[in-house]
Each structure stands twice: as structure tokens, then as C-alpha cells.
Amino acid sequence: MSVTVAMATRTLTLRNALAYRHAWWIFVTGFLEPVFYLFSIGVGVGRLIESFDVNGHPIPYAEFVAPGMLAASAMNGALLDSTFNMFFKLKYQKLYDQMLATPLTTTQVALGELTWSLLRSGVYAAAFLLVMWADGLVHSWLAVLALPAALLIGFTVGAVGMAFTSYMRSWQDFELVTLITMPMFLFSATFFPLSAYPGWLQGIVACTPLYRGVVLCRELTTGQVTLDSLVSVIYLVVLGAAGLAVVGRRLERLLLT
Amino acid sequence: MISARGLRKSFQQKGQEPFEAVRGIDVEVRRGEAFGFLGPNGAGKSSTMRMIAAVSPVSGGSLRILGLDPATDGSQIRGRIGVCPQEDSLDTELTVAENLYVYGRYFGIGRAEVRRRAAAQLEFVQLTERGGAKVEDLSGGMKRRLTIARSMINDPEMVLLDEPTTGLDPQARHVLWDRLFRLKQQGVTLVITTHYMDEAEQLCDRLVVMDKGLIVAEGSPASLIAEYSTREVAEVRFGIGENESSAGAVESAVGRRAERVEVLPDRLLIYAADGEAAVAAVHDAGLQPVATLVRRSSLEDVFLRLTGRTLVD
Ligand SMILES: Nc1ncnc2c1ncn2[C@@H]1O[C@H](COP(=O)(O)OP(=O)(O)O)[C@@H](O)[C@H]1O
Ligand SMILES: [Mg+2]
């Protein structure tokens, strides 16, 4: 009897869906945060701002902030399961020990868990896109592509988050996750453009995963796609794949001793 | 089913010499038998079991499971065996029935089939009524039974049980033993570790006694007792602190009626073919133990003879 990656992924997804059945409201809270920011800053503060330039085209401020929050909601979707929840499963619930006593391999477990993060990202992003559309913040059919873009963000954040988590020793270490994601959320050209930074800082911000996600989503929802999007896609794919490879190796080191 | 030659396991430790948990053991387990690893805590039983379960790489020697090499065919081996680890590793976020269903799906078993098997296994371990319960709400014995049911979901050729009854009350142990007997009757090969000699005697056709990573004796429970102990043991207890000082007097009292006298902190063990005769000799010599008891020899005595220590301390 051998188990294919697809079968393993389906089963792990089923397992996570069953486990979440009684905690669906956790799903909702994670989704609401960027929505609140959109209305408070994007729409509220946006009233005070005349207009805004994206790639030389003037757009309302809310339309600038919305794709940033879309990328952030994709990140949020992947973050919780790949960090806190994975740590709990790894160290306390010993869930992966169980799985590895079956024909499943560490790579299959890593992929299956990542798929869950990805799905959650996808659900968040789809709902967020609907909110944007209902609020008249979407002007291009290219916005449909923001959904796969959000899945890509979920893939990368999930894989890197899991890789980080595999090195964590205690719950205290998770302060680090907040310390990284909080500034990313605020400073990745989510609320103001990259040009607000001095040159050297622009270079650094441009290399963060959320910034790449924001650029990608923004170019798609505003319909102004440039080479920057391609750079983002390649960047996110490579970073995600690297994270995934680390997770597989780490699970082996930690559990198959 | 299992063939180990010079099998070793060492654990790398930061800033220290690697720790050798298993130091070269030879084991052959045949199809359909119930095989035991008996030994105290820290003997290396779990380390050995994890290597056999293909979740722990071998550090030295050779190991074949079902004719396969765990280093290269781990996934395939795991698909054909069942594992009941020392610590229950149930999925606490799922119900009892979901635990079986999802676990079966990890093996790639079809939906309808796994549903059928899950129901049958729940029946087998007498948990059908608890199918919808949360795992946390089960008693220790029920969790253990669920773990056993789970280990059977892939219809394994061999089941590894690491200390299946440790921490259970006597009644729960007997229920579990009964289930394990039935598995054995169904032709499933059982590999059991335990530090309870009664469990080893009850369940195992053949066993090895392990201590400090090595095998110190091997055989059936009866043959081990015959080889390393006497037919009976007389336990005599003197007042607190008087056991050791009375040993010499007891030895001369029983003389050639006993093979040897073992001193434990709380009692003396007289190994003799006829225990009653030995006790009578002690009384005849004017010694006055506060309590005496004659019993059949057990694997505990074998272990004591081999290592000078008791199994559970
Ligand atoms: N992962 C590990 N790292 C370091 N030492 C270990 C590890 N696992 C087990 N040991 C040590 O190996 C010895 C044998 O342990 P184990 O195989 O669990 O014994 P048993 O199951 O017979 O009680 C013990 O001294 C234990 O501390
Ligand atoms: Mg053990």
C-alpha cells in the first residue's frame, strides 16, 4: 500500500477541517482584522487624501490600501496554522509522530499541512475580494488573478512560517513572529508607497515577502501590471519552496530520531 | 518478521559522548508468535521498538522487517505493521471514531473500507458506544484500547505494543490482555515490551530479557524460569532493618534445601524446589520471621538472578 502526495494532502486537509469544525469562529476573527483596517484607514483616512499615484496613474486612496490589506489577509490566513498551531501539534499533541508511524513521509506531512494554510489564505482572500468588489474598489478583471496571487502568498508565508516554527523551542519564541509580521504589515507599502522611504530602506522593504505580495495584488486589482509582478511571483515561489524543503528536513531531524 | 543482528542505537547528545541505548542485540521474531522484550525502565526497549517501527534510524548492525530494510523501505514497512507507542498519541482534536477513520486514511485505505474497519475495530475494543466521544473524555484504559484499535486499522501483519498496560488499573489490564489474546489467536504477530513479569508470562511465547541495552537471556517464560530459577520461592520477612542481618542465619538454616538466598531491602527470597520445606527449616532453626509466603518462581526472579536488581523499583 503506498500513499500518493495527493491522497496524503486530502487526508490531512480532512483532518484539519474536522479539527476546526468546532472552532470556525477563529477563522472569522483572523479575517476581520484587515477588513477593519481597510475601512478605518483606507476608507476613513482616505477621505482626507485627495488622490494617489500608482505607476503614474492617479487612484483613490482606498483603492491603494485595499490590495495591501488583501495581501495581508492572505498572510494572516497562513500565519496562524503554520506557526502557533503547528508548534502545538509538533510539541504537545505529537500529531506528527502519529502521522509518521504510518506510510506518510515527512515531505507529505509538510505538504499536507502547508495546503491547509494555503486554503485558509484562499478563503480569506476570496472573501476579502468580495468585500472590495462590493465596496467598488475593484476596477479590473485582472483582479480575479489576485486570488491565485493570494494563494501564492499563503504558500510562501505558510512554508516560511513552518520552517521558523520547526526551530522554535518555547512559546516565548513566538514573540519573534509578532516582531516580524507586525512591522511587515504596517510598512510593506500597505498604507503608503515605497517612495516614502529613503533609497537604502526602499531596497530592504522591497525584499520582504509581504511587500512582494502587496505589489502583486495591487498591480492586479488596479489593472496596472508591470514586470514587478513577475519578480514577485518568482520571489514568492522560490522562498516558499526553500521553506518547504527546510520543513521536511527539520521534521526528519526532530521526529525520526 | 523481524531479524536483527548486532543492532545498535546511540543518541547524539550536545557536548557529551553519544549515549548508547541499544548496544548490539540479536533478535529473531517469527510469524504468528507473541514476542516480548522484558526489562526495567531505560533498558532500551522503546529505542528498539522505534527502530523496528521504521521511525528511528539504525545506528549499527543490521535490521530487516518483513524482509525489508527500514532505511530504504520505511514507508512500505510502516504500511504493513501496527504501532501502539508507549505514550498514547491520539488526535485530541478528533472524536474516537474520527481518530480511526483519519488514521486509516493515512494508510491510503479507501473511504468505505476504512469506515467498515473502524466500526469493526471499535466493536473489537468495546468502544462502539463511545464513537462520538472526545478523546479527552476517555479513561486511560479506553485510550489504550483505542490506540490498539487504531494500530489494527491497516490489517497489520505484525503489531508493536510498547508497554501496553503501564499505568492502567488491574481491571483495565485484564480487559486489554484479553483483546491481545484474541489478536494472537487471529494469527497477528505481536511484539510487546513490558517491565511487568506477569504481563510477559501471560502474553509472550518467547521473550528476551534486556538490561542496559543488552540481551541478558532469551527463551520461553517457562524455560527461562527453569534455567535461571528454582521451582518455588519462599519469601520471608523479618522486622525492619533485620532482613540483611538475618540472611546468614537463614542460609545456614535451609542449608542444601535451597539453591540460594537473595537479600532485598524488605525481605529475603529463598530459592528452593520445595518452598514449604525451606520455611519449615527456618522456623526449626528458631528464627522468627514476621511473615512468610511460598510462591511459584516468576520472571522477576529470573531478572533478579541475572542482574541483581528487581524489574520495577
Ligand atoms: N531521544 C533520546 N535522546 C537521548 N537519550 C535517549 C533518547 N531516547 C531514549 N534515550 C535514553 O536511552 C535509554 C533507553 O531508553 P528507552 O529505549 O526508552 O528504554 P525503555 O523503553 O526500556 O525504558 C534511556 O536511558 C533513555 O534516557
Ligand atoms: Mg520505554
Side-chain angles (χ1 to χ4, degrees):
Chain A
M1 226 179 307
S2 89
V3 181
T4 62
V5 170
M7 263 152 80
T9 300
R10 270 211 310 273
T11 306
L12 260 74
T13 304
L14 168 75
R15 187 257 153 216
N16 284 326
L18 288 173
Y20 259 107
R21 203 178 19 179
H22 304 294
W24 54 268
W25 45 270
I26 296 177
F27 249 80
V28 179
T29 52
F31 165 71
L32 286 177
E33 192 187 72
V35 174
F36 291 155
Y37 271 98
L38 171 64
F39 285 106
S40 148
I41 312 256
V43 178
V45 177
R47 296 239 163 81
L48 310 174
I49 296 166
E50 284 285 297
S51 116
F52 222 77
D53 267 17
V54 172
N55 300 340
H57 302 269
I59 56 165
Y61 182 64
E63 283 177 35
F64 174 83
V65 172
M69 292 303 100
L70 174 63
S73 81
M75 176 174 88
N76 267 5
L79 205 56
L80 203 66
D81 285 301
S82 65
T83 55
F84 286 93
N85 292 352
M86 170 162 166
F87 191 71
F88 174 70
K89 290 170 175 176
L90 182 67
K91 299 270 156 130
Y92 294 90
Q93 206 182 23
K94 307 272 176 206
L95 186 68
Y96 304 130
D97 291 273
Q98 265 182 62
M99 292 179 179
L100 294 175
T102 72
L104 298 180
T105 63
T106 49
T107 312
Q108 287 173 338
V109 170
L111 263 175
E113 286 292 83
L114 183 55
T115 302
W116 181 255
S117 291
L118 206 116
L119 282 176
R120 193 161 169 185
S121 282
V123 171
Y124 279 22
F128 197 91
L129 269 172
L130 275 178
V131 171
M132 280 173 69
W133 174 77
D135 213 44
L137 296 171
V138 178
H139 291 296
S140 165
W141 278 108
L142 281 176
V144 173
L145 290 180
L147 191 59
L151 288 175
L152 182 57
I153 296 168
F155 166 74
T156 309
V157 172
V160 172
M162 285 166 73
F164 254 101
T165 303
S166 69
Y167 285 97
M168 300 274 175
R169 287 148 308 168
S170 71
W171 293 110
Q172 276 83 359
D173 291 344
F174 282 97
E175 289 299 317
L176 246 159
V177 175
T178 318
L179 207 64
I180 293 168
T181 53
M182 190 70 175
M184 273 215 298
F185 176 74
L186 291 171
F187 300 114
S188 299
T190 33
F191 299 107
F192 51 86
L194 197 61
S195 55
Y197 294 112
W200 61 274
L201 201 51
Q202 286 187 15
I204 293 176
V205 175
C207 287
T208 64
L210 185 60
Y211 174 79
R212 301 311 329 173
V214 169
V215 166
L216 183 59
C217 288
R218 186 168 288 144
E219 294 199 345
L220 290 168
T221 58
T222 57
Q224 302 171 24
V225 178
T226 70
L227 210 59
D228 250 1
S229 285
L230 182 65
V231 173
S232 292
V233 169
I234 293 171
Y235 173 98
L236 291 170
V237 168
V238 170
L239 188 60
L244 191 58
V246 171
V247 177
R249 277 233 322 278
R250 285 291 296 168
L251 285 182
E252 207 147 307
R253 275 286 299 277
L254 290 171
L255 301 177
L256 304 180
T257 56
Chain B
M1 302 298 274
I2 301 173
S3 171
R5 289 269 167 281
L7 183 62
R8 290 175 171 275
K9 180 75 205 183
S10 50
F11 293 104
Q12 242 48 43
Q13 292 173 312
K14 262 205 189 104
Q16 287 176 45
E17 292 277 287
F19 180 80
E20 285 206 86
V22 180
R23 300 188 290 160
I25 61 171
D26 296 344
V27 177
E28 290 290 332
V29 178
R30 296 184 282 266
R31 186 172 292 273
E33 78 178 332
F35 187 87
F37 288 93
L38 176 70
N41 279 326
K45 304 182 299 293
S46 294
S47 304
T48 305
M49 287 293 248
R50 285 177 45 81
M51 287 191 279
I52 296 171
V55 291
S56 168
V58 168
S59 307
S62 76
L63 179 64
R64 286 282 174 288
I65 316 295
L66 308 167
L68 302 169
D69 181 353
T72 52
D73 306 314
S75 186
Q76 216 183 325
I77 292 169
R78 296 193 298 270
R80 290 170 57 188
I81 64 175
V83 181
C84 185
Q86 184 168 351
E87 308 276 333
D88 284 319
S89 66
L90 295 161
D91 196 330
T92 49
E93 292 181 282
L94 304 181
T95 66
V96 169
E98 285 167 357
N99 258 279
L100 294 182
Y101 178 79
V102 169
Y103 198 78
R105 296 285 291 159
Y106 292 152
F107 286 84
I109 305 163
R111 288 188 184 83
E113 176 64 14
V114 79
R115 216 166 268 132
R116 192 189 64 71
R117 289 191 197 178
Q121 285 306 325
L122 276 185
E123 190 71 45
F124 178 69
V125 296
Q126 298 163 310
L127 284 175
T128 303
E129 280 93 80
R130 307 305 297 264
K134 280 200 218 154
V135 168
E136 293 152 44
D137 296 340
L138 299 184
S139 69
M142 288 175 174
K143 280 186 188 157
R144 221 59 192 136
R145 264 143 60 199
L146 179 58
T147 307
I148 288 176
R150 195 185 64 177
S151 73
M152 295 298 298
I153 203 81
N154 57 326
D155 228 342
E157 293 164 55
M158 171 167 79
V159 179
L160 310 177
L161 301 134
D162 197 353
E163 305 210 1
T165 67
T166 297
L168 301 186
D169 59 60
Q171 202 196 334
R173 292 180 81 199
H174 282 284
V175 173
L176 215 96
W177 283 351
D178 172 63
R179 298 295 113 173
L180 295 179
F181 270 128
R182 286 168 197 238
L183 283 186
K184 199 176 133 188
Q185 274 168 355
Q186 290 168 18
V188 180
T189 307
L190 299 180
V191 180
I192 300 160
T193 80
T194 181
H195 60 243
Y196 297 121
M197 50 88 190
D198 53 345
E199 185 157 281
E201 281 188 51
Q202 289 268 340
L203 295 175
C204 301
D205 302 322
R206 212 155 58 80
L207 58 96
V208 292
V209 180
M210 267 187 98
D211 187 40
K212 298 187 179 130
L214 291 169
I215 289 175
V216 291
E218 175 170 6
S220 68
S223 73
L224 282 171
I225 291 167
E227 185 172 350
Y228 295 100
S229 191
T230 47
R231 201 170 68 83
E232 290 183 338
V233 185
E235 298 192 3
V236 291
R237 202 182 296 261
F238 290 90
I240 294 164
E242 288 172 24
N243 286 303
E244 195 159 356
S245 54
S246 312
V250 168
E251 257 175 62
S252 44
V254 293
R256 296 192 38 205
R257 269 186 277 267
E259 211 163 84
R260 69 202 161 88
V261 175
E262 194 81 51
V263 184
L264 296 184
D266 62 337
R267 67 211 133 124
L268 301 178
L269 303 180
I270 306 169
Y271 287 91
D274 184 344
E276 293 295 351
V279 171
V282 168
H283 284 296
D284 289 348
L287 294 163
Q288 293 179 322
V290 287
T292 63
L293 162 80
V294 175
R295 60 169 173 81
R296 210 164 57 80
S297 252
S298 73
L299 285 172
E300 180 88 38
D301 302 305
V302 173
F303 188 78
L304 190 63
R305 172 70 189 276
L306 288 166
T307 68
R309 291 177 295 122
T310 49
L311 273 165
V312 189
D313 45 80

